[in-house]
Amino acid sequence: GVSLERIDAHAPTQQATNWISASSRAGFATPGLPNSQERGAVDQENEDVVVLPEIFSPGAQQGDFVRIHYQFEDSGRIASIQVFNFQGQLVRRIGDNELLGTEGFFRWDGDRDEGTKAVAGYYVIWFETFDKEGRVNKYIKRVVVTGR
């Protein structure tokens, strides 16, 4: 009884992180209407990695996840994406040695590796890539989880 919706209509259909359940506020389905969970394109003029929104509340009706959007000039990079709490402890491993295209995104729902929800607080998203020439790039982004 709950429809799946694409988060970004322009992202590849087969990308698993591009799908999420329709919002309960929308009656768990939006036939003939814009998707309740749709997020528009991300403006990345000067940044390779952007995290939106920077503040979110897991389990809320809308805005209950963050999108870690990347855009690079070249394809074929390998990425690992991890979330750490403010004490430097690993909370969630989102991607490990993922082959990237030129652009796309990963999603963090505010969950921990063991399946529980992350507690309210400050978190760091560590996005690290390397390319076929062996160059390594590290992107550190902040995100805040609020209470439910």
Side-chain angles (χ1 to χ4, degrees), residues 11-81:
T13 304
Q14 69 276 15
Q15 185 177 4
T17 58
N18 194 31
W19 294 91
I20 192 167
S21 298
S23 168
S24 63
R25 285 191 170 175
F28 296 109
T30 54
L33 300 172
N35 289 343
S36 62
Q37 302 282 16
E38 185 174 4
R39 307 256 172 105
V42 176
D43 181 18
Q44 287 188 247
E45 285 193 28
N46 296 319
E47 293 188 71
D48 293 335
V49 177
V50 174
V51 175
L52 292 172
E54 290 183 351
I55 301 172
F56 78 111
S57 181
Q61 298 301 322
Q62 284 189 325
D64 59 349
F65 62 93
V66 296
R67 205 165 87 173
I68 306 158
H69 196 274
Y70 62 88
Q71 184 174 10
F72 303 112
E73 290 184 15
D74 55 335
S75 62
R77 291 182 187 216
I78 304 294
S80 293
I81 305 95

Side-chain angles (χ1 to χ4, degrees), residues 56 58 91-92 107-118:
F56 78 111
V91 171
R92 179 82 167 125
R107 184 179 81 211
W108 182 45
D109 296 320
D111 54 340
R112 302 171 56 88
D113 276 338
E114 71 270 2
T116 61
K117 289 290 182 189

